[in-house]
Amino acid sequence: MTTHTDETTPPASAEYAPERPARLEWAKHAPEVYKAMVRLETAARKGLDHTLYELVKIRASQINHCAFCIDMHTKDALAAGESVERIVQLSAWDESRHFYTAKEIAALELTEAVTVLTDGFVPDEVYDNAAKHFEEAELAQVIAAITVINAWNRFGVTCRMAPGHYEPGQYK
């Protein structure tokens, strides 16, 4: 029987599924698109609180099942001082509202509405709540940030980018 004391390290006898290779290194084959996305990312985050920005990126990535982006933005948030508890609760933020500010909740509601457009629109009450918490210029930036992470998620999921290799700040 193998024993271990470090709870973050699996026992040596554990067998994990093999890592799935990426389908396509899209940035290598579409470098101008990649550069444009980086410029868009830089523009979208201007003036936004870094914590709020990372929460939005993590939440959209969870909804879109983008493991690469969840890995990246969780690591960036932790490196910037975000608590493990708030990140862990993020997938159930609506049941864990007491971990977040009213402004963060408004941003998370908006993130979900913009990310999941199954009804074809962002509900008025979600938009109005966000508008109460953000000045118009900042709200425009939040909407841009949500839109940009959704675009990154589409690249990540479609090309099956593998999580687990990102180091905080690697692409900055």
Side-chain angles (χ1 to χ4, degrees):
M1 179 171 159
T2 304
T3 60
H4 63 91
T5 56
D6 180 359
E7 291 183 19
T8 62
T9 305
S13 63
E15 277 195 48
Y16 292 94
E19 183 175 292
R20 293 165 55 178
R23 289 178 174 154
L24 175 71
E25 293 181 51
W26 77 270
K28 175 181 163 186
H29 298 290
E32 293 306 312
V33 174
Y34 177 77
K35 290 175 194 172
M37 285 295 297
V38 171
R39 288 191 304 274
L40 188 58
E41 172 84 21
T42 300
R45 76 171 163 242
K46 282 195 190 269
L48 289 182
D49 174 74
H50 184 72
T51 298
L52 183 130
Y53 188 63
E54 290 298 340
L55 292 175
V56 162
K57 291 195 292 186
I58 294 166
R59 186 63 192 129
S61 299
Q62 289 171 335
I63 294 166
N64 290 322
H65 304 278
C66 185
F68 181 84
C69 291
I70 292 169
D71 179 57
M72 175 191 294
H73 299 301
T74 298
K75 287 175 178 174
D76 282 345
L78 288 168
E82 182 56 82
S83 74
V84 170
E85 191 168 45
R86 281 172 32 106
I87 292 172
V88 168
Q89 291 299 320
L90 195 53
S91 65
W93 69 267
D94 200 27
E95 297 296 323
S96 307
R97 288 174 172 254
H98 60 284
F99 287 100
Y100 308 99
T101 67
K103 191 172 186 175
E104 290 168 341
I105 289 169
L108 293 170
E109 288 173 338
L110 189 60
T111 299
E112 291 198 3
V114 172
T115 301
V116 183
L117 290 173
T118 54
D119 292 330
F121 60 92
V122 173
D124 289 339
E125 60 273 8
V126 171
Y127 184 87
D128 293 344
N129 187 42
K132 281 192 271 183
H133 293 282
F134 296 94
E135 297 294 327
E136 284 187 345
E138 188 179 23
L139 181 57
Q141 291 299 124
V142 171
I143 294 167
I146 295 166
T147 301
V148 172
I149 189 56
N150 274 281
W152 283 119
N153 290 165
R154 269 57 179 178
F155 287 116
V157 171
T158 303
C159 297
R160 196 185 287 143
M161 296 172 67
H165 305 285
Y166 178 78
E167 296 293 326
Q170 181 177 336
Y171 297 122
K172 292 185 181 187

